[in-house]
Amino acid sequence: MLQWRIKQQAGDNKDDNGSNSGSSSDTTVTTPDDKDTTETKNVTATTPSGEKVEATVTTTKDSNGNVTDASATVTSTKAELSTDVVAKVVEAAGTDQVTIKTAVTDANGKTQYTVTTTAKNLTENAKLKVVAVDQTTGEKTLVNAKTYKVNKDGSITFDLPAGADYELVSTAEAKTVEKAALKTVKVKKTSASVKAGKKTSIQLSSKLNMDNVKKVTYISGKKSVATVNKNGKITAKKKGTAYIKAKVGKKTYKCKVTVKSKKAPAKPAPTTP
């Protein structure tokens, strides 16, 4: 494996007329045994709030010089990306197929959370969603119902809870996350028996991550026998059978509830004269 570092500053490069033509760059090139090359460049850009940030751009090229992978890491005290940041990252990477990770830090430089997206997502008026990513399992979870819109100038800001790794994804990808979650939906019990006047609940599978579900609607098929509230809590009214339905997305799941009569109070023992 070969590795070398090239550092150039403005004024180091001169053209045929002897004038300066270069710009600041700091590049590390690593050549693995398979002839692919990995280049690391540091570029400086300005965020929407005017903060100067440094982006570390890493690209991998095959033996023909084609970019096969590109990523960038930006460290900032504010959760924002600008056209200037994206443009300089894309230029350094040589492709718009580059993943950009923003590490949002506090005043002491400690990372609070990270947000990753692709340069192609950051186009004018693009609508994006935020998902949290489990770094162990890779599972993605919708964080909220909010849609983040890229401004006309190509900038975007976001404010998220600390302690997690996030991704800004297209609305289409967010729907894919939601559909995957809906495949895990099922009721724990398809039937239940309860006495009149008592309560029980309809429970969905513990495998279902409720953060990926916008809404669950509960409906009683026979309210005179059993009712159900918005949280799935069932109240038995009188003897009979009722189907309690849980509607998640476009699918409906049923639980058969059999209500038994209240037990008659025991008669007092006869007294002897």
Side-chain angles (χ1 to χ4, degrees):
M1 178 182 290
L2 300 177
Q3 179 172 321
W4 65 92
R5 187 175 186 183
I6 305 170
K7 186 171 184 180
Q8 297 177 329
Q9 297 180 343
D12 289 342
N13 293 341
K14 297 181 181 295
D15 57 23
D16 293 338
N17 296 320
S19 59
N20 293 330
S21 59
S23 58
S24 297
S25 66
D26 193 347
T27 305
T28 300
V29 181
T30 303
T31 306
D33 296 335
D34 58 6
K35 304 301 183 181
D36 284 355
T37 59
T38 300
E39 299 180 2
T40 302
K41 298 180 181 179
N42 294 322
V43 296
T44 302
T46 305
T47 65
S49 63
E51 180 184 8
K52 293 289 184 180
V53 296
E54 185 174 90
T56 300
V57 184
T58 303
T59 56
T60 301
K61 297 180 181 180
D62 61 22
S63 57
N64 295 318
N66 300 313
V67 176
T68 58
D69 187 59
S71 62
T73 300
V74 180
T75 302
S76 175
T77 58
K78 295 183 179 179
E80 56 186 1
L81 282 172
S82 67
T83 305
D84 186 49
V85 173
V86 176
K88 288 185 177 178
V89 165
V90 169
E91 181 182 9
T95 176
D96 62 358
Q97 299 281 357
V98 54
T99 301
I100 304 174
K101 175 187 283 189
T102 301
V104 182
T105 66
D106 60 17
N108 297 318
K110 183 178 179 180
T111 299
Q112 298 299 292
Y113 60 90
T114 65
V115 182
T116 302
T117 191
T118 63
K120 290 194 71 174
N121 278 340
L122 301 173
T123 57
E124 179 183 341
N125 295 325
K127 295 180 179 180
L128 305 173
K129 294 280 190 178
V130 173
V131 296
V133 183
D134 186 314
Q135 294 301 311
T136 301
T137 64
E139 181 184 4
K140 296 181 180 181
T141 305
L142 291 173
V143 174
N144 52 45
K146 184 176 179 180
T147 298
Y148 296 80
K149 188 176 180 180
V150 180
N151 298 320
K152 289 184 178 181
D153 62 0
S155 65
I156 187 170
T157 58
F158 33 86
D159 187 13
L160 299 166
D165 295 298
Y166 302 100
E167 279 189 23
L168 277 171
V169 301
S170 65
T171 51
E173 186 174 347
K175 287 182 179 179
T176 300
V177 172
E178 187 175 3
K179 285 181 179 179
L182 293 179
K183 290 181 180 179
T184 67
V185 177
K186 64 179 181 179
V187 291
K188 284 186 176 181
K189 294 182 179 180
T190 56
S191 64
S193 180
V194 61
K195 291 181 180 180
K198 299 295 183 179
K199 295 184 178 183
T200 187
S201 60
I202 180 171
Q203 295 181 330
L204 300 177
S205 171
S206 57
K207 292 182 179 180
L208 173 64
N209 190 328
M210 291 302 297
D211 290 333
N212 286 332
V213 177
K214 290 181 180 179
K215 186 179 181 182
V216 179
T217 303
Y218 297 99
I219 304 169
S220 172
K222 202 168 185 179
K223 293 181 180 180
S224 60
V225 174
T227 60
V228 61
N229 67 12
K230 63 181 181 179
N231 298 315
K233 183 72 72 174
I234 300 168
T235 301
K237 295 290 188 179
K238 68 176 184 178
K239 183 179 180 180
T241 301
Y243 283 92
I244 304 299
K245 302 176 182 178
K247 187 176 181 181
V248 185
K250 295 181 179 180
K251 293 186 177 182
T252 301
Y253 304 86
K254 296 180 181 180
C255 177
K256 181 181 178 181
V257 176
T258 301
V259 179
K260 297 179 180 180
S261 299
K262 290 182 180 180
K263 187 177 181 179
K267 293 182 179 180
T271 58
T272 56

